[in-house]
Amino acid sequence: MEKLTRPNAEIHIRHLTGRNPGNGEFAPSLVAQLRLALAQGASELEQHGYSLRDVTRIIFTLSGTEGFSACFSTLNELFGQSCPATTLRLVKSGRHQEELVELDLLVTPKS
């Protein structure tokens, strides 16, 4: 997490993954990994007084798009009508073979 250095600095939370904090293993499906990564992000945002609905951009890093459409209902449920700008990055593989998705969340505070 980057430190806020000026009043309206963008908050950028990087490298959110679907690794279960309890056992250190990755969840078995893309949707489950997405939910874990978003839960981590929501927790970090809360520390700065924000929620997922304040996210202005979300960056997905995926090793493949198979199963990604199953994530749409989760994204709609969590982001509602805030509809953040979205970037999809496709890579040959994640940092770990079991890693199906990595997220970056950005919030641009309102002045």
Side-chain angles (χ1 to χ4, degrees):
M1 177 78 142
E2 291 185 8
K3 295 189 187 253
L4 298 177
T5 56
R6 58 188 191 279
N8 293 321
E10 183 175 74
I11 296 168
H12 190 166
I13 302 171
R14 294 181 168 93
H15 309 298
L16 299 166
T17 67
R19 188 184 297 262
N20 184 320
N23 62 18
E25 295 180 11
F26 286 96
S29 71
L30 180 58
V31 172
Q33 286 192 24
L34 178 71
R35 284 188 174 277
L36 282 170
L38 288 169
Q40 293 169 34
S43 177
E44 290 205 28
L45 287 170
E46 190 176 292
Q47 294 174 22
H48 294 282
Y50 294 99
S51 75
L52 289 175
R53 292 187 187 256
D54 296 307
V55 171
T56 53
R57 174 174 296 281
I58 184 170
I59 301 168
F60 296 90
T61 302
L62 303 160
S63 56
T65 58
E66 186 177 329
F68 187 66
S69 62
C71 298
F72 295 162
S73 62
T74 298
L75 294 171
N76 189 48
E77 170 191 325
L78 295 174
F79 289 100
Q81 296 194 2
S82 64
C83 197
T86 302
T87 301
L88 290 174
R89 293 181 180 157
L90 291 175
V91 296
K92 291 187 182 203
S93 63
R95 290 182 288 171
H96 305 280
Q97 185 175 356
E98 306 86 10
E99 185 177 302
L100 302 174
V101 64
E102 180 179 288
L103 301 178
D104 286 13
L105 302 176
L106 290 88
V107 172
T108 304
K110 296 177 175 120
S111 18

